[in-house]
Amino acid sequence: MMKPSTLILSLALTTLAAVAAPAAAHAAVCVQLDTAHDNLSEQERAGTMTMLVQTLQQQGQQVGTEGCQGTYVVYHVRLGYSVNVVLQGPGGYRQGMARAIEEVPALYSQMVRSLLTGQPMNTANGTVDRTNVTSAQVAPNRVEADSLWYVRLGYAGIVGPKFGGGPAFGFGYRYELDSIGIDFSFLNFVVPSSNSSNTSVGFSGSIIKLQGLYFLNPIANGSMYLGAGAAWGFTASYEEDSLGNIRSLSGSGLQGEATLGYEFLRASTIRMFAQADATLPFYKMTGSTFSTNDESWAPTFALSVGIGWGRGTARVHLVQ
């Protein structure tokens, strides 16, 4: 005869098993395909639904067909080779893109983990790991910029002890988005010139210059632009009058740069532009004048035209 304690334990275990069995069945989740929005073929639908069920089971979910505690509704939209996946579950809503149908199971893994944990789909919380990374995440999309080299030619004047100037030229590289750009230029020089009454020479230049550009009409084929930046350069002034008296000043250092220009043919890989530049030295020229030592501040102003060539980018702008 069974002992009373043993009989009580046996009845308790039997009752627990009887209660747990329906509860486990009731705790199952269902999987449903939204055929109204899904555009995969029937064969692809069958394969993706099988993989979604397996993904849920791998994450500890019991999948059933009736009496489910929650339902996961999914649909796929194929655009070219890529497949956009939308999954709605008890924990919320997730959407992702796979670049090929073969990557949909990896995307399912991220989505299910994210819904079960309530966390976003990223590597910081374990929803994305080395087993389910998609190619779109390996090489994320970025807006590509226009890239071009240019050369410019014009005329510049140096405002120092006495106005001087001459032909100006320079070389550079621009990296442009629609509204903004980076201008890196070098060897920007003003070639010395003289007049007939006496020898008056102004020489100025920047070894290296970096500017930010802002285009006022970003998506047009031509746009006015503003620029500001800094450069490292030098300025020199040499003057000799008819009596042989000499004034010689020079200096070098950091310079402020301001630009106003207009760029043409922005929709092509060849660019033309016209611009006005002001170079404002943060230093003064020093040296000797006709009678004593002296110093002078000598900004430079230039007008130039340029031509650039390189690689352009076609962009699609969505109307919202």
Side-chain angles (χ1 to χ4, degrees):
M1 182 176 179
M2 186 177 296
K3 294 182 179 181
S5 59
T6 305
L7 178 60
I8 293 173
L9 180 59
S10 177
L11 289 174
L13 292 174
T14 302
T15 303
L16 180 61
V19 173
H26 182 70
V29 296
C30 293
V31 176
Q32 179 181 335
L33 178 67
D34 183 356
T35 56
H37 295 93
D38 192 278
N39 69 350
L40 296 183
S41 66
E42 289 300 326
Q43 183 178 5
E44 290 171 333
R45 287 178 175 180
T48 54
M49 293 301 290
T50 299
M51 296 307 301
L52 179 55
V53 170
Q54 291 182 1
T55 301
L56 287 165
Q57 292 173 338
Q58 289 170 357
Q59 297 302 317
Q61 301 298 298
Q62 183 176 352
V63 181
T65 57
E66 59 183 13
C68 299
Q69 187 180 28
T71 301
Y72 287 86
V73 181
V74 65
Y75 67 87
H76 316 80
V77 179
R78 184 199 292 276
L79 297 172
Y81 291 103
S82 65
V83 179
N84 291 277
V85 182
V86 178
L87 180 62
Q88 177 78 44
Y93 164 93
R94 296 292 185 273
Q95 181 176 356
M97 189 271 287
R99 289 184 174 173
I101 190 70
E102 293 81 6
E103 292 189 338
V104 170
L107 195 57
Y108 281 158
S109 175
Q110 297 180 23
M111 289 178 161
V112 170
R113 292 183 184 183
S114 178
L115 288 171
L116 291 176
T117 61
Q119 300 291 327
M121 296 161 55
N122 58 49
T123 57
N125 50 44
T127 57
V128 180
D129 59 23
R130 291 176 180 266
T131 67
N132 61 13
V133 176
T134 65
S135 60
Q137 293 167 324
V138 172
N141 293 332
R142 294 289 186 270
V143 176
E144 190 174 3
D146 296 341
S147 173
L148 61 132
W149 294 91
Y150 69 83
V151 59
R152 63 181 184 86
L153 180 64
Y155 186 88
I158 305 171
V159 182
K162 186 174 182 180
F163 180 85
F169 64 90
F171 307 90
Y173 172 81
R174 285 185 179 178
Y175 203 57
E176 298 177 4
L177 293 172
D178 289 335
S179 299
I180 61 175
I182 298 173
D183 189 311
F184 170 77
S185 61
F186 51 92
L187 302 182
N188 298 287
F189 295 140
V190 179
V191 179
S193 62
S194 61
N195 56 41
S196 57
S197 61
N198 56 26
T199 302
S200 177
V201 175
F203 190 48
S204 178
S206 62
I207 305 300
I208 186 171
K209 179 169 69 173
L210 181 63
Q211 283 187 300
L213 304 179
Y214 178 74
F215 293 90
L216 303 182
N217 196 355
I219 62 176
N221 191 39
S223 174
M224 183 175 290
Y225 60 90
L226 305 173
W232 185 268
F234 59 89
T235 308
S237 174
Y238 176 87
E239 182 181 354
E240 182 179 355
D241 63 15
S242 58
L243 300 177
N245 297 313
I246 296 175
R247 172 186 289 171
S248 176
L249 300 173
S250 64
S252 64
L254 192 64
Q255 304 175 156
E257 302 283 346
T259 297
L260 172 65
Y262 192 91
E263 189 173 87
F264 306 85
L265 306 176
R266 297 197 74 213
S268 73
T269 57
I270 297 178
R271 305 289 171 86
M272 297 182 65
F273 62 87
Q275 68 182 39
D277 296 283
T279 299
L280 309 175
F282 296 145
Y283 58 87
K284 290 184 177 181
M285 296 190 301
T286 59
S288 60
T289 64
F290 297 137
S291 59
T292 182
N293 293 333
D294 199 0
E295 64 179 21
S296 176
W297 185 63
T300 302
F301 301 93
L303 293 173
S304 60
V305 294
I307 183 170
W309 62 95
R311 177 170 52 87
T313 301
R315 301 188 182 91
V316 177
H317 297 270
L318 302 179
V319 178
Q320 299 181 348

